[in-house]
Amino acid sequence: MRDINWEEPYCGEGNNCFRIGIDDQGNAYIAVAGAEDAYVSDTREALRTLIRDIKAGKADHLL
């Protein structure tokens, strides 16, 4: 497993907690808290774009 520096969990209501991390090569990771070995990974720029798009409401149709 890669050496990932995980941030503290971001939690919604109940047990909906996610963690974001980066490795020493600058890759970004998202995982469910407690299941960090099953992550999604991409570049930091891709993660930045995802977060901006979510904040802009582009994923509201999923709610």
Side-chain angles (χ1 to χ4, degrees):
M1 184 173 187
R2 298 175 188 252
D3 188 23
I4 302 169
N5 181 24
W6 292 105
E7 298 287 330
E8 290 297 316
Y10 296 93
C11 299
E13 294 180 24
N15 294 324
N16 300 321
C17 299
F18 293 90
R19 296 186 80 182
I20 295 175
I22 58 169
D23 65 16
D24 59 353
Q25 307 238 331
N27 298 306
Y29 300 83
I30 300 174
V32 173
E36 287 81 359
D37 58 335
Y39 52 77
V40 174
S41 177
D42 208 323
T43 64
R44 289 179 79 178
E45 184 57 35
L47 177 60
R48 186 177 293 114
T49 300
L50 174 66
I51 292 170
R52 285 183 182 149
D53 285 351
I54 290 170
K55 289 173 80 174
K58 292 183 179 180
D60 286 357
H61 64 282
L62 299 172
L63 301 176

